[in-house]
Amino acid sequence: MELGLKNKKVLVTGSTKGIGKAIAAEFAREGAGVVINGRSEADVQRVVSELRAKFKDAGIHGIAADIAKEADREALFKKLPTVDILVNNMEIFEPMEYFDITDEIWEKFFSVNVMSGNALCKFYLPGMLKRDFGRIVFIASEEALMPSGQMPQYSMTKTMNLSLAKSLSKLTKGTNVTVNTVMPGSTLTEGVEEMLENMYKNSSVPKSERKKDFMKNHRPLSQIQRLIRPEEIGRFVAFVASPYSLSFSGAALRLDGGLVPTIF
């Protein structure tokens, strides 16, 4: 299905790996002008080169910036004053015991996972409204609705993403601008691979069985009983950002493999 994204200008934050990279790749596949973002210039240029080689009809560029830092955001805004589509994907996560989480850690997660994306929305949303087209997509998590208890500092910020997106959607009423949140379930990213390595480093579970064991014992409510592939999320986000998705805004869109129970 052609999604009508050709030549749309797209910024995907935190797109040098994992879900962000997969999202950027799907926009590139659709012929959009994609801006790759990450903190490392080397990582950004590596992904730009990789996607340019794969999607020759897409306009792919890179801007290295730590968007949690105001100075870096200001530099980004000067280089990229307008976008048609903003995907707030950049985040940090780490399993932690509640009583080990300091105030500094709470503040760091709030700053990176919430305030950085909020700053981008505050800058780009007025232009979208003026041009009467735009898409803002927050990448949250099933942890926003059903915290596992394994990383409360992360879960809190994902719930905040839902609330912020809903509030911003109220500003777009009657326009062709939408603001939505996509909530993936547990996804096979580099970060999750590292998390599993740490979780099972003293375990007798064979490496080949760790993903299955994790889903069975840590995500037992999942209906698909496997980790979601990043490209599955990428394709869905591309549709949510497309002109065909105007029928929903302010929505919390679940892509969790049936992990979060639904009450009918």
Side-chain angles (χ1 to χ4, degrees):
M1 178 180 177
E2 193 277 324
L3 294 177
L5 292 167
K6 191 172 180 61
N7 298 322
K8 295 295 185 185
K9 191 183 301 182
V10 185
L11 170 61
V12 184
T13 66
S15 47
T16 58
K17 60 183 179 180
I19 291 174
K21 181 180 176 183
I23 292 170
E26 291 302 329
F27 280 112
R29 190 187 308 278
E30 292 293 325
V34 184
V35 177
I36 303 300
N37 163 254
R39 291 187 293 267
S40 164
E41 180 70 36
D43 287 343
V44 167
Q45 293 307 318
R46 172 182 51 80
V47 176
V48 167
S49 297
E50 180 183 332
L51 295 185
R52 280 178 177 171
K54 191 172 183 179
F55 305 109
K56 299 187 184 300
D57 292 335
I60 302 169
H61 304 279
I63 299 178
D66 183 349
I67 61 170
K69 297 179 179 178
E70 184 177 0
D72 281 25
R73 289 198 300 268
E74 290 301 320
L76 170 67
F77 296 154
K78 288 180 180 178
K79 294 178 181 177
L80 189 66
T82 64
V83 297
D84 298 305
I85 298 164
L86 168 64
V87 181
N88 279 319
N89 169 75
M90 194 271 283
E91 65 172 19
I92 54 175
F93 73 97
E94 182 181 352
M96 290 185 179
E97 294 289 339
Y98 173 76
F99 291 107
D100 294 335
I101 305 173
T102 64
D103 286 350
E104 289 75 17
I105 292 173
W106 284 106
E107 290 169 1
K108 179 181 179 180
F109 272 76
F110 176 62
S111 175
V112 174
N113 290 0
V114 180
M115 292 306 294
S116 60
N118 179 63
L120 297 187
C121 292
K122 195 170 186 180
F123 182 81
Y124 287 118
L125 181 56
M128 294 179 180
L129 293 171
K130 184 177 180 180
R131 296 186 301 274
D132 195 29
F133 179 84
R135 299 286 185 268
I136 295 175
V137 182
F138 286 85
I139 306 302
S141 165
E142 91 281 353
E143 290 272 343
L145 295 180
M146 193 176 72
S148 65
Q150 296 172 342
M151 39 189 172
Q153 81 292 359
Y154 170 78
S155 301
M156 175 197 72
T157 64
K158 296 294 99 177
T159 304
M160 288 179 172
N161 288 161
L162 299 186
S163 178
L164 178 57
K166 187 67 173 181
S167 293
L168 293 178
S169 74
K170 302 295 185 181
L171 304 176
T172 70
K173 188 175 181 179
T175 73
N176 289 303
V177 179
T178 66
V179 185
N180 291 289
T181 307
V182 170
M183 296 184 293
S186 298
T187 305
L188 189 58
T189 63
E190 296 91 334
V192 169
E193 290 270 20
E194 183 179 348
M195 182 186 76
L196 292 176
E197 189 68 29
N198 291 330
M199 284 182 65
Y200 288 94
K201 62 183 177 182
N202 296 318
S203 169
S204 61
V205 178
K207 192 168 185 176
S208 61
E209 295 295 319
R210 290 175 182 177
K211 297 181 184 70
K212 184 177 180 180
D213 183 82
F214 173 77
M215 295 304 296
K216 178 181 179 181
N217 293 301
H218 296 275
R219 300 292 186 268
L221 296 179
S222 168
Q223 299 299 299
I224 62 175
Q225 277 298 293
R226 65 168 175 82
L227 290 161
I228 297 165
R229 294 184 292 273
E231 58 269 24
E232 293 175 296
I233 298 166
R235 197 61 179 164
F236 183 69
V237 171
F239 171 73
V240 171
S242 77
Y244 301 115
S245 67
L246 190 59
S247 59
F248 49 82
S249 186
L253 305 168
R254 290 170 44 185
L255 197 68
D256 57 25
L259 183 62
V260 180
T262 299
I263 299 175
F264 293 101

